[in-house]
Amino acid sequence: DIQMTQSPSSLSASVGDRVTITCRASQTIVTYLNWYQQKPGKAPKLLIYAASSLQSGVPSRFSGFGSGTNFTLTISSLQPEDFATYYCQQSYTTPRAFGGGTKVEIK
Amino acid sequence: QVQLVQSGAEVKKPGASVEISCKASGYTFTNHYMHWVRQTPGQGLEWMGIINPNGGSTNFAQKFRGRVTMTRDTSTSTVYMELSSLRSEDTAVYYCARESSGRYGIYFDSWGQGTLVTVSS
């Protein structure tokens, strides 16, 4: 099975900061990598699919990059509504494993 | 618009089984695989398995094989997930999630609201 490792597990940042989260796959997943945002008590929401494609309706301050085994999610200017937990997920094969999550907190 | 509506919260005793439903609307039910994902309290997302509503074939995470069943009813556009031999560690929020795929990837673009299952004696 493919293992997904995210870092950091948590971070503190201020409104307006640039934030980058990293996700690494245990073997190549080409660009079959998705990013989700989850707020407390809510279902996850798709942000980025295929490593770098922005889901409809998602603000352009979110961007994704990478291929193979190394991927990043960047928030160019953190907004108050962006404080949440972010998960990467590989969709190259089953099981569709998720990373452990990165909690973005207010500094 | 696409909607996935799950059944309500459940409280079960250890050793019992639970069945959760996920009713889909707003799209052609048989055109999209459906997945089940769970989240234990304060923890991350754990993929459980997939069902193809067109035919009913399934594939489960190794961890759940032998304990999980996924079925569908095309007449009501509903998928079901049953987990048996429940233990306290199965206390979690369970989500159904629709898979979409295309030239540029495979992803979960719509999720149910989640169903809390509490396992307690």
Side-chain angles (χ1 to χ4, degrees):
Chain A
D1 294 355
I2 297 174
Q3 312 300 320
M4 306 300 294
T5 304
Q6 272 182 251
S7 61
S9 57
S10 65
L11 64 90
S12 295
S14 301
V15 172
D17 283 354
R18 181 182 181 88
V19 168
T20 296
I21 299 167
T22 297
C23 180
R24 177 169 294 175
S26 60
Q27 63 190 76
T28 183
I29 56 172
V30 197
T31 56
Y32 287 90
L33 189 283
N34 308 313
W35 290 98
Y36 300 87
Q37 177 194 66
Q38 187 180 33
K39 296 182 178 179
K42 299 294 187 180
K45 170 189 171 185
L46 178 67
L47 297 177
I48 301 280
Y49 62 94
S52 61
S53 296
L54 196 66
Q55 172 69 345
S56 175
V58 174
S60 59
R61 63 181 178 271
F62 291 93
S63 63
F65 182 79
S67 67
T69 61
N70 294 301
F71 303 87
T72 58
L73 171 70
T74 297
I75 309 171
S76 60
S77 177
L78 200 63
Q79 297 302 299
E81 60 268 31
D82 301 337
F83 292 95
T85 301
Y86 295 84
Y87 294 94
C88 63
Q89 179 209 27
Q90 67 85 13
S91 56
Y92 185 68
T93 187
T94 55
R96 301 259 196 268
F98 292 88
T102 297
K103 186 174 184 178
V104 177
E105 299 176 299
I106 301 172
K107 182 182 285 185
Chain B
Q1 75 283 16
V2 175
Q3 267 197 307
L4 302 177
V5 179
Q6 298 182 221
S7 49
E10 303 265 10
V11 179
K12 295 292 182 180
K13 294 195 182 301
S17 297
V18 67
E19 183 178 76
I20 303 168
S21 66
C22 171
K23 183 173 176 59
S25 61
Y27 70 98
T28 301
F29 178 66
T30 50
N31 283 359
H32 293 260
Y33 293 164
M34 197 75 81
H35 297 254
W36 289 90
V37 175
R38 79 176 187 181
Q39 186 167 38
T40 51
Q43 300 302 309
L45 302 170
E46 182 175 30
W47 183 83
M48 298 181 69
I50 178 176
I51 181 168
N52 180 355
N54 185 11
S57 61
T58 55
N59 185 9
F60 306 129
Q62 179 68 39
K63 176 177 181 177
F64 299 104
R65 285 177 196 162
R67 282 210 301 146
V68 69
T69 305
M70 295 180 188
T71 57
R72 95 287 187 223
D73 182 343
T74 56
S75 68
T76 60
S77 299
T78 304
V79 295
Y80 300 88
M81 189 281 295
E82 181 179 22
L83 188 62
S84 62
S85 302
L86 290 169
R87 35 212 188 227
S88 59
E89 311 89 88
D90 294 318
T91 294
V93 176
Y94 291 79
Y95 295 100
C96 57
R98 186 186 83 156
E99 178 179 288
S100 287
S101 61
R103 178 179 175 187
Y104 297 108
I106 300 170
Y107 42 88
F108 296 177
D109 62 349
S110 187
W111 294 67
Q113 82 275 21
T115 297
L116 175 62
V117 175
T118 303
V119 183
S120 174
S121 54

